[in-house]
Amino acid sequence: HLLHAVRALVHRRNLSLVVIGTPKKGGGIERLVRGLDLSRHIRFTGRIDHNAFVREYARAAIAVVPSMYEGFGLPVGEAMACRLPVICTTGGALPEVAGDAALMVPPGDAIALEQAIETLLDDPKQRESLAQKGYERVMQTFTWENTARQTAEAYRDVIHDYR
């Protein structure tokens, strides 16, 4: 779905897409990229280390996480921690991770995804606002201290229920 949105956008704007990872050799993504004539607009990074990952975020204008379903949503949290505005789907735990600090679209809705990307590209104030809100959310919510406190509370609840 992201590739269909990208195809429409690259024809109207001078955009490129960096995908962290590598598509399966000869797989559906490679075929779709060729079929949509997007090879010159998309770069797959392959497997990269943490520092290269952060550099890619630093170069980006927007992080897009178009997951159909996500168990936790680490890419959303990572992008927010790098102070990057995020567009993600409402799939799985992504809304819980992003809160009100991201633009959300339904999973699989390429038109909504395209519109969200254009909205953020056209609105630097909203990009800045989401970047700041996301950064603050990660720094306040997803800390080791909070994780330890919530884990201890879960153990207390289980022990209390067991007794």
Side-chain angles (χ1 to χ4, degrees):
H1 300 287
L2 175 60
L3 294 179
H4 288 282
V6 167
R7 181 176 187 228
L9 288 169
V10 298
H11 289 294
R12 289 192 304 274
R13 300 170 179 254
N14 185 21
L15 294 180
S16 61
L17 173 68
V18 176
V19 179
I20 307 298
T22 306
K24 182 179 173 186
K25 282 280 191 217
I29 292 175
E30 275 190 352
R31 287 192 305 273
L32 188 57
V33 167
R34 277 193 310 273
L36 294 173
D37 192 27
L38 292 173
S39 297
R40 67 184 182 278
H41 300 286
I42 296 178
R43 178 172 60 90
F44 292 93
T45 65
R47 190 177 190 102
I48 58 176
D49 67 19
H50 175 75
N51 291 330
F53 200 74
V54 173
R55 281 192 303 273
E56 292 296 342
Y57 274 141
R59 290 182 193 133
I62 300 168
V64 180
V65 184
S67 297
M68 297 299 281
Y69 179 83
E70 193 78 39
F72 174 72
L74 191 56
V76 168
E78 290 170 336
M80 289 176 164
C82 290
R83 219 174 164 283
L84 192 59
V86 172
I87 298 170
C88 65
T89 64
T90 55
L94 292 178
E96 185 179 343
V97 174
D100 66 347
L103 285 187
M104 305 252 189
V105 298
D109 188 337
I111 293 169
L113 186 60
E114 179 184 342
Q115 290 170 345
I117 292 169
E118 287 213 274
T119 294
L120 280 189
L121 289 175
D122 291 339
D123 191 343
K125 287 183 181 178
Q126 187 175 18
R127 283 196 315 269
E128 176 59 28
S129 173
L130 286 176
Q132 184 62 33
K133 285 170 79 172
Y135 180 78
E136 289 171 2
R137 179 169 175 74
V138 167
M139 294 301 132
Q140 293 169 3
T141 306
F142 301 107
T143 65
W144 283 115
E145 183 180 335
N146 282 347
T147 300
R149 186 179 315 106
Q150 291 172 2
T151 301
E153 287 173 11
Y155 280 128
R156 273 192 224 108
D157 290 346
V158 169
I159 291 168
H160 180 265
D161 290 346
Y162 183 74
R163 290 182 177 172

